[in-house]
Amino acid sequence: MPGSEPGLAPGDVVRVPFPYVDRNRRQHRPALVVSRGGIGPGGGLLWVAMITSAANQGWADDVLIEDHEAAGLPVASVIRPVKIATIETARAERVGRLPPASFARVRAILAELLAAGTEGWKNEGTTWPIAST
């Protein structure tokens, strides 16, 4: 797999070795960048949300990718925001970009999921905000 593309950004569709929670392996598959490009020490990590075939059984928070070909995907697909992974930036290969309206839906779902119960997320009186791009 080629090295990381420079300047990966939220909304980019990438191909990555996505980990599974029910199996001790990774599968190369498409995913959506949901972090602000590279994060962590030296920008070496990405948060990504799973992208899967629309033919699979749907989950409540799935977001349909309206134009899968424009996003660089070979088949009709959905984003599964509840399945987020941390991936090494160097292992990500950009394949396309999600339309802004679709990414806005994903961001709204992630904000709702992350905000649940955040009343207690405080550090010496400072509330931790959820970043937007």
Side-chain angles (χ1 to χ4, degrees), residues 56-70:
N56 291 329
Q57 181 175 351
W59 290 23
D61 291 319
D62 285 356
V63 174
L64 179 66
I65 297 173
E66 301 290 336
D67 184 354
H68 67 276
E69 291 174 343

Side-chain angles (χ1 to χ4, degrees), residues 43-107:
L45 302 173
L46 288 172
W47 285 342
V48 295
M50 176 189 269
I51 294 177
T52 191
S53 168
N56 291 329
Q57 181 175 351
W59 290 23
D61 291 319
D62 285 356
V63 174
L64 179 66
I65 297 173
E66 301 290 336
D67 184 354
H68 67 276
E69 291 174 343
L73 301 167
V75 298
S77 302
V78 297
I79 300 147
R80 188 153 288 162
V82 299
K83 286 206 169 192
I84 295 179
T86 302
I87 302 297
E88 294 174 344
T89 306
R91 307 285 309 263
E93 175 187 8
R94 182 186 292 120
V95 297
R97 182 132 180 97
L98 199 64
S102 296
F103 188 64
R105 285 196 300 277
V106 172
R107 277 187 41 210

Side-chain angles (χ1 to χ4, degrees), residues 103-120:
F103 188 64
R105 285 196 300 277
V106 172
R107 277 187 41 210
I109 290 168
L110 288 172
E112 183 178 313
L113 292 170
L114 291 171
T118 58
E119 300 79 30

